[in-house]
Amino acid sequence: MLSARSLFQEILDNDDSFQLFCSIAASGEAQGGWENGRIAALVPDSQRALAPKIARHGADEDKHGRIFNALLRKRALEPVEVPRETDYTMLLEARGIGLAHDKLRRDEPLTERDIVIYLAHSRVTEERASAQMRLLRKHFGSHPDIGRAVKMISHDEDNHLAYCHEELLRLAAAGHGRLIQATLRESALTEIAVYRDVSLAVMAQMGRILAWPRAKAAMLAAGIHAVYAFERAAGWRRMVSLRMPERLDALGGPASTAPEFA
């Protein structure tokens, strides 16, 4: 019977599929680290208090990239090129989610509106990241090879999501509520479509590597389409709600290091 645990165990047990999985994850985290680092450097004066938190977010993402690369090294594997159709962060940017890279490469301060949009986009993508890592933590938190990495990254992703909620609520109270809600809705509907496309592409790559039977590949693809249908109908709403998190000031300190991995 197919399950999230059995599927990921199969990917974990094969060097080639594990190599691709970690390479995709490391690439996305590295891009997120660069983006947050640039945003922290360009924060407008009106939101300077956010700069250390955004920098911390970027440092966490960089750390996650190092962790995935370290997991590869532990198995004497090298990162491989990420197929374009599996590059979640790049495809999101191409669809207008996140601040454009050409803007981030300029040494011009961002606007307060840019920061609001950045946080709204992050709230959506961090919802996905947090949910995915909670699933991995549930099934593999005690795994001897990847358990410690999974728990560390999951904790960070929960912090990132809490930070987005708290800061967006603060900005909503300051008069940005309409922009926040409009951006959240647009971002959520775009993200679920990109996530569907990337999931199909990743499963196609894994099916090729692991020589899945056609029936198994078709069942997985049908499951991905079913998740998309649910999220398109109603599930996206969980990505646009805002609530004050239990964990306040989640990014208020320095980023933790990962010497045991990196």
Side-chain angles (χ1 to χ4, degrees), residues 14-139:
N14 180 280
D15 279 350
D16 290 339
S17 56
F18 184 72
Q19 184 180 37
L20 179 60
F21 171 82
C22 287
S23 296
I24 291 171
S27 174
E29 298 287 358
Q31 181 169 319
W34 177 84
E35 289 172 354
N36 280 280
R38 289 301 299 154
I39 292 167
L42 301 174
V43 169
D45 289 341
S46 64
Q47 297 296 324
R48 287 310 300 173
L50 270 179
K53 297 180 181 182
I54 299 172
R56 160 76 184 276
H57 190 174
D60 283 346
E61 303 285 5
D62 284 335
K63 178 183 69 179
H64 300 167
R66 294 194 304 273
I67 288 172
F68 282 115
N69 282 322
L71 290 174
L72 287 174
R73 289 196 301 273
K74 285 172 71 173
R75 283 171 62 163
L77 300 171
E78 294 292 330
V80 295
E81 184 176 354
V82 175
R84 183 180 179 85
E85 64 273 17
T86 68
D87 194 331
Y88 172 79
T89 49
M90 182 199 71
L91 292 172
L92 284 174
E93 189 208 352
R95 295 283 295 271
I97 301 300
L99 299 180
H101 282 192
D102 62 345
K103 175 179 285 192
L104 296 181
R105 290 189 182 97
R106 302 184 208 127
D107 288 323
E108 300 174 4
L110 299 171
T111 66
E112 191 163 297
R113 179 184 175 88
D114 288 331
I115 297 302
V116 172
I117 290 173
Y118 148 72
L119 282 168
H121 290 165
S122 295
R123 183 263 176 274
V124 169
T125 56
E126 292 299 337
E127 177 82 31
R128 183 74 69 187
S130 180
Q132 288 182 319
M133 292 312 303
R134 282 198 304 272
L135 181 65
L136 286 178
R137 185 177 64 199
K138 174 184 175 181
H139 294 304

